[in-house]
Amino acid sequence: MNKQGLAARLSVALGLAVSLLAPVTLAQDLPEDFRTQAPLTLSGEGPWYRLELPMALHLAAQFADLRDARVFNAEGQPQAYALTLGRASQRENIQQTAVKWFPLRGPKDAPLDASGIRVQRSSTGTLVEVTAPAGAAPAEEQLRGWLLDASAIDAPLEKLQLNWSGDAEGFQRFSIEASDDLQHWQSWGEGQIARLSFADEQLEQRSISLPGERARYLRLLWLAPQQAPALTAAELFSSASDTLPAPMAWSAAMAPSSVKAGEYTWDLPLALPLERIKIGLPQANTLAPVQLYGRRDGKVQWQLLSRSLLYRLPQAGKESLQEQIELYGAPVQQLKLVVDQRGGGLGTEAPQLQVGLRATELVFLARGTPPYTLALGNTGAKAVNLPLSTLIPGYEPARLSTLGVATVAVAVSTPLEALAGPVAASGPDWKRLGLWAVLLLGVGLLVLMALSLLRAAPAKP
């Protein structure tokens, strides 16, 4: 047999072995391989669901990056999923504020800009009086518009809402100008209000959109001054954007594993990238300078993570509490708190510790029959999570909040032992034994084919 024929037969043998090994590889993720199992409750519209993982489940995992997380359906089939970290977000708050208004009067033939109007203000910036230009005879004056005092609003103005006396009907148009000093004015376009009555029906248009900019004063000048209505209310709607911090996952309170004079140590099940910790201060009037140390395991030296001041003190009739220490996300598995005893310590009882890290959401595509189960705790698991853009074709960040919601059907503070799934019945696992038998048969067949090919090869002269 020539070399080409021998190589071809070996290739066929290897291909057969790979095909025999494939079922074993694909069947490695089974629910019983995971130490912790938690049933999920679904709500909202699927088929995608997002689950914010409580800290109890982070602590039940074997890896900080959650590579051993799986979601199974009732048939034991793993579901496609993605992991995403919580991020800071923006929240828009719309506030409605009633403002004071003042009539702007002037001669009938005066320009519409009414630039000669004088204004007096108090030290707080509140408008207290508006007077007409000097030299104008009262008989020649008429109502030209209104001045609104928005000096108490420190936010972009989004909308203006007016109300006026009921005897003025029809359409009323006016220009809108803004100023911060009552001397220089910027045009904000035009507005229109309307009130129409017919029989027992009434139609009103009271709101005017504004450009979303800040201004201390608004000036409304009617384009037809003789029709300027008498205002009875003026309200401004402003928007303020708040930055919400990234959501955090917090553990239940944990007692220290070791207590010495002014020194407390806690052990976590695995190293986690902690961002904050809370130290319980049960006694009032506590003041404690502390040093926090951390390390990944007991074989390495302690590293200083933070120097902080913890306190629970009365201030201005209220209790001021500082019990948190911010960290920088370095993975730690052991924490040690050293308390400076010159501050009196933390009391007779050992302090309780809570650890926090940025919340993680698991998004999965529900397939097959419910109920669905989250499984964690497999030391041999490999990362199989997909990018979120792959899991959800055409994904956009705004879509995440519209997905269905999955929740763990246990309280976050439940001990980890209560999360564990039912223990499999004792006895041989025939399915797994069968897979191993197929594997061994494939390896044996490969060895026999290789020996046969070697025997068939022509001996060297």
Side-chain angles (χ1 to χ4, degrees), residues 67-392:
R67 73 185 70 172
D68 57 327
R70 299 290 188 273
V71 177
F72 294 99
N73 60 17
E75 291 85 12
Q77 298 173 330
Q79 311 292 286
Y81 74 96
L83 295 172
T84 177
L85 283 175
R87 298 181 179 179
S89 59
Q90 296 287 331
R91 179 180 62 184
E92 293 291 333
N93 292 325
I94 302 299
Q95 200 161 25
Q96 182 177 355
T97 306
V99 297
K100 296 181 180 179
W101 66 96
F102 301 87
L104 299 176
R105 300 183 182 276
K108 295 181 180 180
D109 56 352
L112 288 179
D113 62 1
S115 57
I117 295 177
R118 295 177 299 174
V119 178
Q120 294 181 355
R121 291 176 292 168
S122 68
S123 58
T124 61
T126 302
L127 192 62
V128 295
E129 184 181 0
V130 177
T131 60
E140 299 175 353
E141 294 178 4
Q142 68 175 173
L143 180 65
R144 306 299 304 272
W146 301 89
L147 187 65
L148 307 183
D149 180 11
S151 57
I153 303 175
D154 186 19
L157 304 178
E158 303 288 346
K159 186 174 67 172
L160 167 65
Q161 185 168 283
L162 301 175
N163 200 5
W164 59 99
S165 58
D167 55 353
E169 292 197 355
F171 294 91
Q172 314 286 341
R173 294 183 60 202
F174 49 89
S175 63
I176 305 174
E177 296 172 314
S179 175
D180 288 332
D181 57 5
L182 296 169
Q183 301 296 324
H184 304 88
W185 296 89
Q186 177 185 2
S187 174
W188 276 12
E190 294 185 356
Q192 177 177 275
I193 56 177
R195 177 177 291 158
L196 303 173
S197 299
F198 179 77
D200 295 332
E201 301 293 332
Q202 189 175 72
L203 176 66
E204 286 189 341
Q205 176 183 321
R206 301 171 51 203
S207 299
I208 303 98
S209 296
L210 300 178
E213 299 178 10
R214 285 180 168 83
R216 293 176 60 84
Y217 304 98
L218 296 183
R219 185 167 64 180
L220 314 181
L221 296 177
W222 259 251
L223 301 185
Q226 66 277 10
Q227 299 178 359
L231 297 185
T232 59
E235 294 175 313
L236 285 169
F237 293 78
S238 57
S239 66
S241 179
D242 294 336
T243 300
L244 301 178
M248 298 283 294
W250 287 97
S251 72
M254 298 180 289
S257 58
S258 174
V259 177
K260 298 179 182 178
E263 183 177 305
Y264 309 92
T265 305
W266 291 268
D267 295 313
L268 303 179
L270 74 165
L272 291 174
L274 302 181
E275 296 193 4
R276 292 182 191 176
I277 69 165
K278 290 181 184 178
I279 303 294
L281 304 176
Q283 289 186 332
N285 301 333
T286 296
L287 178 68
V290 299
Q291 292 180 333
L292 181 68
Y293 296 86
R295 61 184 179 184
R296 292 184 67 100
D297 55 53
K299 299 179 182 179
V300 298
Q301 292 184 346
W302 291 101
Q303 301 292 324
L304 179 63
L305 302 179
S306 176
R307 288 186 174 92
S308 302
L309 179 64
L310 304 179
Y311 56 84
R312 180 179 172 185
L313 300 171
Q315 288 186 358
K318 298 181 181 179
E319 187 175 68
S320 180
L321 180 64
Q322 174 56 41
E323 60 178 358
Q324 293 192 24
I325 300 177
E326 292 192 10
L327 303 178
Y328 48 86
V332 292
Q333 188 170 359
Q334 291 181 302
L335 292 166
K336 181 172 68 173
L337 186 72
V338 178
V339 182
D340 189 337
Q341 296 299 305
R342 293 177 298 177
L346 298 179
T348 57
E349 297 182 5
Q352 301 280 309
L353 171 77
Q354 288 179 269
V355 297
L357 49 74
R358 191 182 304 185
T360 298
E361 281 194 333
L362 184 149
V363 181
F364 69 95
L365 176 61
R367 178 174 58 92
T369 306
Y372 298 92
T373 301
L374 176 69
L376 290 160
N378 184 348
T379 56
K382 305 296 182 182
V384 296
N385 54 298
L386 298 170
L388 202 54
S389 57
T390 302
L391 181 70
I392 307 177

Side-chain angles (χ1 to χ4, degrees), residues 405-417:
V405 176
T407 54
V408 179
V410 292
V412 175
S413 59
T414 302
L416 295 181
E417 291 78 9

